[in-house]
């Protein structure tokens, strides 16, 4: 991996931060800043609870990686995996659609002797079990708890569209994982394009197809075998626990700011809309998330406190995670080849 942190990543991160801050300032301008002082008078108890939720969510996410690696025959120390996980969080935060995460996962795990195929398993397993959560829970909420969510007509229709889209993505992901022939056919079609029909590239395409078959075998051994249910449900538990911890930050913040709220409405709205808003060409959905969540929460929070809440919520769910993961990123790479780590 030539370089891990390139200048374009830093420029993109700076742009995302400016866009996020600008969006929050616009919200504060619209909703008013008369009660902004409440943001600076949050009791230490609630601050401690929020930071506790953040750290616990990162620990839970690391545990699912550790357990999955152990099932793959790799026993890496938890402290390394914690830093490794923070590093992948950081790079996903500063790259479009989190696209930098997979190359970094492959690179860092390869330094510990873990094969690229197993690294791909880690990446796709996280996607899969988070996808199962997002692809199944929103429809359940909309079917059985629609009134408690207090969405209103427009948000209800949008929530239904989002749920259908997330279920579709989950179906596509499962199909790709379970149907290696489909992926191999795509590789064959690419290899038959005249531009790629070169003798020196043939071995790479053959290697890719071998890795696809190996990945499919590993996946079946892990999750489809007769004794695989324990790993399946433990991975699903970790995914659910991580996201529930993450979504619990907003209710704690509302308690700290003395803003009345409906717990199911606050948790449910985040669960339905966050995933679709956060992943875009702009890293972490900066600008989109702030404005989107102000819209989503506008009918259940006091207008004068809406901008302050969104700004504080974004601070804890984005800036704090970004800062902690940046520390983990540099700790994870500090012992690697310095020349390969230099920023272009």
């Amino acid at each position: 991996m030539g370089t891990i942190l390139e200048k374009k990543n830093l420029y993109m991160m700076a742009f995302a931060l400016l866009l996020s801050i600008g969006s929050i300032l616009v919200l504060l301008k619209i909703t008013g800043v008369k009660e902004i002082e409440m943001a600076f008078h949050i009791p230490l108890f609630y601050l401690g609870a929020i930071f506790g939720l953040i750290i616990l969510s990162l620990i839970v996410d690391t545990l699912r990686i550790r357990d999955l690696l152990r099932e793959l025959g790799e026993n890496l120390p938890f402290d390394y995996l914690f830093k490794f996980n923070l590093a992948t969080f950081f790079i996903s935060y500063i790259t479009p659609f989190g696209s930098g995460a997979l190359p970094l996962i492959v690179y860092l795990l390869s330094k510990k002797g873990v094969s690229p195929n197993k690294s791909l398993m880690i990446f796709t397993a996280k996607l899969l079990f988070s996808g199962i959560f997002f692809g199944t829970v929103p429809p359940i909420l909309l079917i059985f708890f629609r009134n408690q969510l207090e969405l209103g007509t427009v948000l209800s229709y949008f929530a239904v569209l989002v749920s259908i889209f997330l279920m579709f993505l989950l179906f596509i992901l499962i199909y790709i994982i379970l149907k290696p022939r489909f992926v191999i056919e795509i590789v064959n079609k690419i290899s038959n394009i005249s531009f790629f029909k070169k003798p020196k590239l043939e071995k790479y395409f053959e290697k890719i197809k071998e890795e696809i078959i190996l990945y499919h075998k590993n996946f079946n051994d892990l999750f489809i075998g007769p004794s695989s249910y324990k790993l399946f449900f433990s991975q699903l538990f970790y995914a659910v626990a991580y996201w529930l911890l993450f979504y619990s930050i907003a209710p704690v913040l509302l308690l700290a700011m003395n803003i009345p709220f409906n717990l199911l409405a606050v948790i449910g709205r985040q669960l339905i809309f966050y995933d679709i808003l956060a992943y875009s060409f702009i890293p972490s959905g900066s600008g989109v998330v702030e404005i989107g969540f102000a819209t989503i929460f506008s009918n259940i929070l006091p207008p004068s406190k809406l901008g302050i809440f969104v700004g504080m919520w974004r601070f804890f769910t984005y800036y704090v995670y970004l800062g902690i993961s940046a520390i983990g990123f540099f700790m994870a790479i500090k012992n690697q080849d310095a020349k390969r780590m230099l920023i272009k």
Side-chain angles (χ1 to χ4, degrees):
M1 187 174 181
T3 58
I4 285 183
L5 194 59
E6 301 179 356
K7 283 186 177 180
K8 65 180 181 180
N9 297 139
L10 295 179
Y11 294 150
M12 186 64 78
M13 180 176 67
F15 174 69
L17 288 172
L18 288 173
L19 192 57
S20 177
I21 293 171
S23 300
I24 292 171
L25 291 175
V26 169
L27 286 173
L28 290 173
K29 178 69 175 177
I30 295 172
T31 60
V33 295
K34 291 182 179 179
E35 300 184 66
I36 196 170
E37 69 275 2
M38 71 168 56
F40 302 99
H41 294 89
I42 295 178
L44 288 178
F45 170 79
Y46 290 108
L47 286 177
I50 291 172
F51 277 98
L53 289 170
I54 292 171
I55 298 302
L56 187 56
S57 71
L58 294 170
I59 291 174
V60 166
D61 201 57
T62 304
L63 286 172
R64 66 166 161 172
I65 295 174
R66 184 204 63 182
D67 288 1
L68 189 54
L69 279 171
R70 284 181 176 177
E71 291 295 327
L72 289 168
E74 306 291 343
N75 193 11
L76 300 183
F78 180 85
D79 60 336
Y80 174 79
L81 289 177
F82 189 71
K83 292 181 288 187
F84 155 81
N85 200 28
L86 289 177
T88 62
F89 267 90
F90 176 72
I91 210 71
S92 66
Y93 276 138
I94 66 172
T95 53
F97 301 105
S99 56
L102 178 57
L104 183 61
I105 288 172
V106 173
Y107 176 77
L108 290 178
L109 289 182
S110 70
K111 292 298 179 181
K112 296 296 183 179
V114 179
S115 70
N117 203 282
K118 292 180 180 179
S119 299
L120 180 62
M121 180 66 70
I122 298 299
F123 178 77
T124 54
K126 290 187 69 173
L127 281 180
L128 174 62
F129 289 99
S130 290
I132 292 173
F133 178 64
F134 287 113
T136 57
V137 177
I140 293 173
L141 289 175
L142 292 172
I143 293 171
F144 297 104
F145 303 98
R146 187 175 225 166
N147 292 334
Q148 291 91 325
L149 294 176
E150 303 174 4
L151 290 173
T153 304
V154 176
L155 281 179
S156 291
Y157 283 127
F158 184 45
V160 170
L161 291 175
V162 168
S163 297
I164 293 172
F165 179 69
L166 292 174
M167 285 190 292
F168 174 74
L169 290 181
L170 175 60
F171 172 79
I172 293 297
L173 178 60
I174 292 174
Y175 186 81
I176 290 173
I177 290 173
L178 296 180
K179 297 292 183 180
R181 290 184 180 179
F182 172 76
V183 183
I184 290 173
E185 286 177 6
I186 294 176
V187 173
N188 286 333
K189 288 181 179 179
I190 294 174
S191 65
N192 288 328
I193 297 174
S194 58
F195 179 80
F196 295 106
K197 293 190 73 171
K198 299 175 183 178
K200 63 180 180 180
L201 294 178
E202 288 182 2
K203 63 179 181 179
Y204 293 108
F205 284 112
E206 290 301 318
K207 181 63 176 176
I208 290 173
K209 287 186 282 188
E210 291 175 5
E211 291 294 326
I212 292 170
I213 294 172
L214 178 60
Y215 173 88
H216 179 65
K217 179 182 180 303
N218 287 337
F219 184 88
N220 285 344
D221 291 342
L222 284 174
F223 298 115
I224 302 181
S227 61
S228 61
Y229 68 93
K230 290 183 179 179
L231 179 64
F232 180 92
F233 285 108
S234 68
Q235 289 292 302
L236 184 59
F237 169 79
Y238 285 135
V240 172
Y242 169 79
W243 287 111
L244 288 181
L245 287 167
F246 180 83
Y247 292 143
S248 295
I249 293 172
V252 174
L253 182 60
L254 288 168
L255 285 172
M257 300 173 74
N258 292 313
I259 300 176
F261 64 95
N262 177 323
L263 180 61
L264 184 59
V266 171
I267 295 287
R269 288 172 187 231
Q270 292 179 90
L271 197 155
I272 293 170
F273 296 110
Y274 178 81
D275 196 52
I276 201 72
L277 292 174
Y279 294 97
S280 67
F281 178 76
I282 302 171
S284 298
S286 293
V288 178
V289 169
E290 290 82 359
I291 301 300
F293 264 66
T295 303
I296 290 165
F297 282 97
S298 61
N299 70 330
I300 60 171
L301 296 183
S304 62
K305 298 179 179 180
L306 181 61
I308 298 170
F309 164 72
V310 172
M312 291 296 293
W313 170 81
R314 190 60 165 158
F315 171 77
F316 288 111
T317 60
Y318 178 46
Y319 299 107
V320 172
Y321 274 94
L322 181 66
I324 294 173
S325 63
I327 295 171
F329 174 82
F330 288 106
M331 291 178 66
I333 68 173
K334 69 178 181 179
N335 295 325
Q336 309 299 337
D337 183 356
K339 292 182 179 180
R340 298 172 70 85
M341 298 301 109
L342 289 176
I343 298 173
K344 285 183 178 179

